[in-house]
Amino acid sequence: MANSAKNSFYVTTPIYYVNDVPHIGHAYSTIIADVLARYKRLTGYDVLFLTGTDEHGQKVEKAARDRGLTPQEHCDLMVGPFKELWDRLSISYSDFIRTTQERHIKVVQNIFQKLYDQGDIYKGFYEGWYCIHEETFYPESQLVGGCCPACGREVEWLKEESYYFRSSKYQDRLQAYIKDNPSFV
């Protein structure tokens, strides 16, 4: 069957943290994405199936430090087991992206700069009770004895400067689109 832009299909796995080796959860979500990609190919779609690794974050930094490595050294060692598992499972991905690759960095920087230049990105502060293990902020009302409700570990008050997306700028258009296209969500 001839393919056209109309017959394109994109599927992605999460981009996995490399704080440790892949486990059954990584395999599960990747197999599901692979099944979908294979089905779409069989039905005539031009499929882009992306997977990869997220090589940033506190868990990755801590895992590297615990191993006596720089974060990049740690990531370079940890990406192998993910690719090896996908090969063992015959995963049919089209592309494997690493967030430390120059091609990824350039695209993210270009998108971010464009959004910033048009006023969609702004700096602000976020603060609250944060669980490092869960990488999640929690309101005080959800804490259990002052600890994380998910894992029971201690939380810490964290205040950090962050970049925000000005979604309010698009609120009216998004609401109208969702109203006019109820199957969109």
Side-chain angles (χ1 to χ4, degrees), residues 127-151:
E127 60 184 307
W129 294 107
Y130 185 74
C131 176
I132 291 174
H133 180 76
E134 298 295 325
E135 296 182 333
T136 303
F137 282 93
Y138 292 99
E140 191 165 0
S141 62
Q142 288 185 0
L143 300 179
V144 179
C147 293
C148 175
C151 69

Side-chain angles (χ1 to χ4, degrees), residues 90-108:
S90 298
I91 300 297
S92 65
Y93 62 87
S94 310
D95 194 11
F96 189 100
I97 191 75
R98 296 177 62 182
T99 58
T100 57
Q101 287 175 310
E102 190 62 30
R103 67 186 175 121
H104 181 268
I105 293 167
K106 283 182 180 180
V107 168
V108 170

Side-chain angles (χ1 to χ4, degrees), residues 35-94:
V35 168
L36 182 58
R38 289 170 188 264
Y39 170 75
K40 287 295 194 177
R41 284 188 200 108
L42 285 171
T43 58
Y45 283 80
D46 180 22
V47 175
L48 176 61
F49 174 15
L50 178 71
T51 190
T53 51
D54 186 345
E55 302 179 6
H56 299 91
Q58 292 171 320
K59 286 183 180 181
V60 173
E61 181 183 26
K62 182 183 181 315
R65 188 174 51 248
D66 290 350
R67 294 177 74 192
L69 300 171
T70 68
Q72 189 63 57
E73 289 169 336
H74 171 79
C75 292
D76 290 344
L77 290 172
M78 295 305 296
V79 76
F82 283 87
K83 286 185 167 185
E84 289 165 15
L85 180 58
W86 303 163
D87 287 346
R88 258 179 94 188
L89 295 172
S90 298
I91 300 297
S92 65
Y93 62 87
S94 310

Side-chain angles (χ1 to χ4, degrees), residues 104-116:
H104 181 268
I105 293 167
K106 283 182 180 180
V107 168
V108 170
Q109 287 175 339
N110 287 337
I111 292 169
F112 188 92
Q113 189 64 55
K114 181 178 180 181
L115 292 170
Y116 185 82

